[in-house]
Amino acid sequence: VDTFVRGKGFFALTEYVATDERANRRFPLLLTTGRILSQYNVGAQTRRTDNSTWHSEDVLDIHPHDAETRGIADGEQVIVAGVMEHIERAGVHSGDSMAVYPTQTVAEETIDKIVDYATRIARAIHAQGLINIQFVEDRDGEVYVIEVNPRASRTIPYVSKAKGVAFAKIAARVAAGEKLADLGLTEEPPVDGFFVKEAVLPFAKLPGSDPRLGPEMHSTGEVMGHASRFGHAFAKSQISA
């Protein structure tokens, strides 16, 4: 880590500007869309090219879905509150994407990887309190980390209602120095049924606005549907939204 040199980054509004900028940079370059969360195109350019289109030798073949975790760490123990699956394709902002818990199409092996990675990351950064990590899976089953946020997030109430546990309250006490074991939280709490989070979008009140979902967040609120079957929980979320 001591010998790692971070190159200067740049932002471009068009591919042509990006091409001009790249001409004066050292390679390899990490290329990604210029917005946070659920990146569309991620690649590593390893050589110079003479045309306006960048050529990547190593582009992630992204799986249609991504997932996120919510957890609590006390510096020693890490409890992953749950792995939620985004229903929209990867690339839609997590605030606009529907999410289901428990997951519906994520393989058990992938869930195990996500929990393992989340636990190791939380310990490595000495997280104390809530932590939010977003992941994406490629078509070969490899799991990548999109971002790590050692803080609360808008879906903590969603997970708390699904689990029946006041995670924010517990995390606040952990951040103040208490241990998870002393607070009675030593493993992931069970879940009863299915929970679908749906975004409330403002497009109907904004005539002429672009309703397409992407990396920018448009949601102005969220609702949750709960039922013993996924289809019923999904329907409730749509009616509520």
Side-chain angles (χ1 to χ4, degrees):
V1 175
D2 293 337
T3 60
F4 178 76
V5 178
R6 180 179 179 180
K8 184 179 180 181
F10 65 90
F11 177 76
L13 294 176
T14 69
E15 186 175 280
Y16 299 102
V17 174
T19 302
D20 292 339
E21 288 283 349
R22 290 199 303 272
N24 299 316
R25 307 279 171 176
R26 291 187 300 174
F27 290 78
L29 296 176
L30 178 66
L31 307 176
T32 179
T33 49
R35 300 180 178 90
I36 64 171
L37 299 178
S38 305
Q39 310 297 347
Y40 279 116
N41 305 308
V42 181
Q45 184 173 348
T46 57
R47 55 191 170 85
R48 294 186 184 278
T49 58
D50 295 328
N51 56 32
S52 62
T53 302
W54 64 273
H55 292 272
S56 171
E57 295 179 359
D58 186 22
V59 179
L60 302 184
D61 187 9
I62 300 300
H63 193 272
H65 297 154
D66 50 10
E68 58 181 304
T69 63
R70 298 290 179 268
I72 301 179
D74 63 8
E76 298 173 1
Q77 187 177 13
V78 180
I79 300 296
V80 175
V83 178
M84 292 165 286
E85 178 183 1
H86 290 184
I87 295 178
E88 269 82 14
R89 57 179 170 75
V92 173
H93 192 290
S94 61
D96 289 348
S97 177
M98 286 182 284
V100 57
Y101 179 75
T103 61
Q104 293 295 289
T105 65
V106 180
E108 194 66 34
E109 179 182 355
T110 300
I111 294 176
D112 291 342
K113 281 185 182 180
I114 289 174
V115 172
D116 177 48
Y117 291 175
T119 301
R120 289 160 58 188
I121 289 171
R123 286 176 177 158
I125 66 174
H126 306 291
Q128 189 161 336
L130 288 167
I131 184 169
N132 157 34
I133 308 178
Q134 298 210 17
F135 298 89
V136 67
E137 178 188 11
D138 69 14
R139 296 188 184 277
D140 294 326
E142 194 62 51
V143 175
Y144 296 86
V145 176
I146 297 177
E147 67 172 5
V148 179
N149 296 306
R151 57 164 174 75
S153 64
R154 75 184 69 83
T155 48
I156 281 298
Y158 164 62
V159 178
S160 293
K161 290 178 181 179
K163 297 283 190 175
V165 176
F167 286 114
K169 181 179 180 179
I170 294 175
R173 295 179 64 175
V174 167
E178 297 188 55
K179 295 297 183 181
L180 288 169
D182 296 334
L183 296 172
L185 187 62
T186 57
E187 61 183 5
E188 180 183 349
V191 62
D192 179 23
F194 296 91
F195 297 82
V196 176
K197 181 211 76 171
E198 172 63 305
V200 176
L201 299 166
F203 302 127
K205 297 181 179 180
L206 300 171
S209 61
D210 187 352
R212 292 176 295 181
L213 299 180
E216 306 97 336
M217 180 176 168
H218 301 288
S219 169
T220 55
E222 293 176 327
V223 297
M224 183 175 76
H226 171 227
S228 60
R229 297 172 60 184
F230 168 69
H232 291 172
F234 181 88
K236 285 183 177 180
S237 72
Q238 300 308 297
I239 294 171
S240 298

